[in-house]
Amino acid sequence: MNRILFCHDRSNQRLALDIDEEHGPDNVTDAENVESTTFSNPLVEDCISVGQLEVCSTLERGSDQVFQEENSHKTDGISRGTNEKLNHINLYPSTCAVLSANSDVNISETAAEISGEIGEEKSRTYNVAKQVEQDGPLECHSLSYTSRKLLPLKHYHNEARAMKDIQKFLSNPIILFRIETSTVHDIVAEMITKLSSEKPHLKLKTENIIASLVEDRSDYKLMEIMQGMKTNDRGECQTEPSFVTILCSSNEVTENHVVMCLVDNPVNLGHGAEEIHFIALVLSPLKEKKIKCALEVARTYSTLLADVKLRHQLKGATNPTEFAHIFELEVHRIYTEERASEEKSIDHHQDLGDNKKWCFGYDLLNDIRRRAPHYLSDFTEGVKTCAGIQKITSTIIFLFFSLIIPCIAFGVLFSSLTHGIIDVRKVILSQALSGLLFSIFGGQHLLVIRTTIPLTIFTKVIYSISDENEMDFHTFYALSGLWTSLFLAVSSLTGLSNLMRYCSRSTEEIFALFVSIAFTVDAIKFIADEFDYHFCFDSEECSAAKSLLSLLLLLGTVLIGCEIYNFRYSPYLTAAKRSLVADYALPVAVLLMAFTGSWVFRKVEMGTFHDDNPTNFVFEEWGELTTGMIFGSMGIGFMQGLLIFMDQNIAASVINSPSYRLKKGPAYHLDIMVVAIINAIMSVFGLPLVHGALPHSPLHVRALADVEEQCDHGHVSEIIVDVKETRVTTFVCHILIWISALFLIPKPLNYIPIPVLYGLFVFLAIVALDDLELWERLLLVFTEQNSYPPTHYIRKVPQKMVHYFTLVQLIQLAVLCAVSFSGYPYLKMLFPAFLALMIPIRLKLVPKLIREQYLEALDGQ
């Protein structure tokens, strides 16, 4: 099959290249001389580009009309699909359309239409060389000189001139807002025109300034620009492709002038600048002192635009006035953060110089001193803008459903283990009271605390021991809880949480994946029990419909939740609306499947929870104390304390990861002390104990985060730009849970079928896998090698060692699962000890199996 390539030569004469599939180009002729051949099924391939802005013209199937002009496929070099066929043609930046043979399109007419459409859009007409193999390569007609230099970021707190330049701009901001032009010439021309209209006394000559900006009038390559430099996840240094600062020195001005531009759609200005959203034009006099020259002013604005949060906030502006206001607020934020960072650095050096010895309670007091200045802002952050309120509202709804429904499931489990002593109402009250207290007094308030499956195991052991030895359950349970709180308080005062610095990301990910597996296993056990008990035909209790409906409701909750959650990655609506829809994935899935189970299939009797104990919050009287109870509860309390200590610190370590960009700092020791006090209250009142938990904590942080997509070598990834570190979400959410405990039990909460509860568990387990690098590496085992993502460890570590490290982690994960899922309750109690054992294994044993160089890439922060 032959292909016809339409392009233009240096004299803008339209050419047609007849390209054979097997032998390459056959001839080059004038497009007007090509016979009017009939083709069918036109196939438009990617445009041909050499590192510059390209335009792909797409033809409608069976028609000779151009229906789309697309600027989104930006490539470096020749596009895939035409590379092998055109690899020996001397290509220059060009505008081309490639059509398959056998189409209904008249070649000559189509070429004219393509040229006309491109001309209407003012797209640049590139050149393709006439010469092919037989004519030899082109000769050089000039030389290009390129000089690159790395400059430090501007420090606004120390450099007074920088803030003066910014204040001068803010006094009369010149902003070109959401323009639709996509060429360098037109963008610069509009910026200069805007400057001239705002300051008519300048009398600028647009063409003269453009001539000093571009290298080649036919190519419009900018001669002097400034961009941000960053290090990607592979450790490579690359340019930030979303902004550029253009430097211009001209004798037509006598002082510095700055024009800011936000383009409506990202434009491609060449290699390293493929997705430009922001353009800053700095116009300076030719003769100016060094601190006021174009280079220094450009550094000032480039440093601002290098801040990812500033860029994200500016994209949300709706008009130039709001743009300038946001710009001013973000400048103040950056200045304040720099000053705080400098003061913190000074204090740190002073502490090192003092060479203080260990002091009882010092780490706890240090956490309080560090978090106290942020306490007021913890309640006000995010509530001053409509977008912030919207984000907080959706997070409250997400948290409410993700906590209240597991409380019902755990309540049913606790009730079966303790024969109704701890029921659904008590679990919900425990969640409400503990959550309120932690949202007010907790250090890292973004942590979500709740009861967990390992804690139910300890409760079962406590009930079994008290029942076998005829001891009062409430007394034994309260003693165990108080011993647990005592161990936690001692660990907080002695700074034991400092040992968690040796807990690497490997251990955190093993535990996170274990939690997802535990959620999924519980759901599978529930469905298996349903089929074992009801899927039969030989007794009155058999109900195949109930078993099948349980499976339908569980899978329906998972599928609907995942589909809505993944709506954020779809091409529909705008990015903000997609994110808003995805934030409500959980409540929509639960409500929809609850309605399906309780109303649509109301004739099928589904299992719901029962409220046999209407009492709310009472003090449980203690029975007789014995020496055996005291020492027995001490052993259980120690193991339970170790479990809470490990789980709490691992959850805190996960959300304090640098990838979440939290600004207010951790508070490990303060959090442990608050949890100790909360659990002492819970145990005295006979309520379930709690601690910071996965996956709710990182999901809570992500729900409050603003994210941005970045494309690295064709691999699209999301980065967190900013997190609204507010206490409002957990505070309001747990007030709603308290109201639910008082007024929504038993109805309408018992309308939610039990399978929907377990479906929510599976949904949370799946969503938690998104940011899990262990899961990503596990999928690489089944992934084709040329489809591997360009992550840093893929380049730094041999493939064999990547899989070897994954295998080591899986072995540790298998040990945790074997202990936790065993049928021996006393063996399950040793789970926290095995979890703590993962830390020395990673520190001492794994480095003997894998080189430290590889571990740094695979397990570094």
Side-chain angles (χ1 to χ4, degrees), residues 374-518:
H374 304 293
Y375 191 77
L376 182 61
S377 67
D378 289 343
F379 288 95
T380 59
E381 184 172 349
V383 299
K384 299 179 181 179
T385 62
C386 292
I389 294 174
Q390 187 181 72
K391 177 69 73 173
I392 289 174
T393 303
S394 64
T395 304
I396 291 173
I397 296 174
F398 164 78
L399 264 187
F400 175 77
F401 278 89
S402 65
L403 289 175
I404 190 71
I405 294 177
C407 283
I408 297 173
F410 281 119
V412 174
L413 180 59
F414 271 108
S415 182
S416 65
L417 295 177
T418 62
H419 293 79
I421 297 177
I422 300 178
D423 58 2
V424 173
R425 187 185 294 270
K426 284 191 174 181
V427 175
I428 296 178
L429 281 172
S430 170
Q431 181 65 54
L433 178 60
S434 61
L436 279 173
L437 291 175
F438 195 82
S439 67
I440 296 172
F441 300 107
Q444 182 48 273
H445 52 276
L446 296 179
L447 272 172
V448 177
I449 63 172
R450 62 178 182 86
T451 192
T452 57
I453 294 176
L455 288 175
T456 64
I457 297 172
F458 279 94
T459 304
K460 179 181 179 179
V461 171
I462 292 172
Y463 182 84
S464 299
I465 294 175
S466 61
D467 185 56
E468 292 172 1
N469 297 276
E470 297 181 352
M471 295 185 296
D472 182 67
F473 170 76
H474 293 297
T475 305
F476 195 46
Y477 182 81
L479 279 175
S480 301
L482 290 175
W483 279 116
T484 299
S485 298
L486 177 62
F487 289 131
L488 292 174
V490 171
S491 68
S492 173
L493 292 171
T494 55
L496 281 181
S497 291
N498 289 326
L499 296 176
M500 295 304 295
R501 72 182 65 178
Y502 301 111
C503 180
S504 67
R505 190 176 63 187
S506 170
T507 305
E508 297 169 3
E509 291 188 340
I510 290 171
F511 181 68
L513 187 54
F514 165 78
V515 173
S516 294
I517 293 174

Side-chain angles (χ1 to χ4, degrees), residues 202-215:
L202 292 178
K203 301 188 183 303
L204 301 174
K205 296 180 181 179
T206 304
E207 291 302 322
N208 291 344
I209 295 178
I210 291 179
S212 64
L213 286 175
V214 299
E215 178 183 354

Side-chain angles (χ1 to χ4, degrees), residues 7 34 85 168 192 248 278-280 296 345 363 411 450 514 553 583 585 662 688 693 771 781 787 860:
C7 46
V34 177
K85 306 173 188 60
K168 178 183 176 183
I192 297 173
C248 179
F278 299 93
I279 301 175
E296 290 301 317
S345 177
D363 295 296
R450 62 178 182 86
F514 165 78
L553 294 178
D583 288 340
L662 301 184
D771 300 322
V781 178
S787 299

Side-chain angles (χ1 to χ4, degrees), residues 535-662:
F535 199 79
C536 57
F537 305 95
D538 55 359
S539 68
E540 295 181 358
E541 296 181 353
C542 293
S543 176
K546 183 176 180 179
S547 302
L548 294 173
L549 182 57
S550 297
L551 181 61
L552 172 67
L553 294 178
L554 188 148
L555 295 179
T557 304
V558 175
L559 293 177
I560 293 175
C562 290
E563 284 297 319
I564 299 176
Y565 181 81
N566 290 327
F567 186 74
R568 68 178 77 242
Y569 307 117
S570 70
Y572 307 110
L573 304 180
T574 62
K577 292 177 180 178
R578 291 196 301 267
S579 179
L580 179 64
V581 172
D583 288 340
Y584 292 94
L586 180 59
V588 170
V590 170
L591 293 176
L592 186 60
M593 297 314 295
F595 174 78
T596 302
S598 60
W599 178 255
V600 177
F601 293 97
R602 58 186 178 276
K603 293 183 179 180
V604 180
E605 185 178 351
M606 298 299 299
T608 58
F609 72 90
H610 302 281
D611 183 38
D612 300 325
N613 184 14
T615 58
N616 289 323
F617 191 68
V618 295
F619 176 79
E620 299 292 350
E621 295 185 2
W622 287 17
E624 182 182 357
L625 283 176
T626 64
T627 305
M629 291 176 66
I630 295 175
F631 285 99
S633 61
M634 181 188 297
I636 294 176
F638 174 76
M639 295 305 298
Q640 199 167 226
L642 180 59
L643 170 70
I644 294 176
F645 177 83
M646 292 296 300
D647 289 9
Q648 171 77 25
N649 280 296
I650 288 177
S653 179
V654 169
I655 70 170
N656 285 310
S657 169
S659 61
Y660 286 113
R661 298 177 182 269
L662 301 184

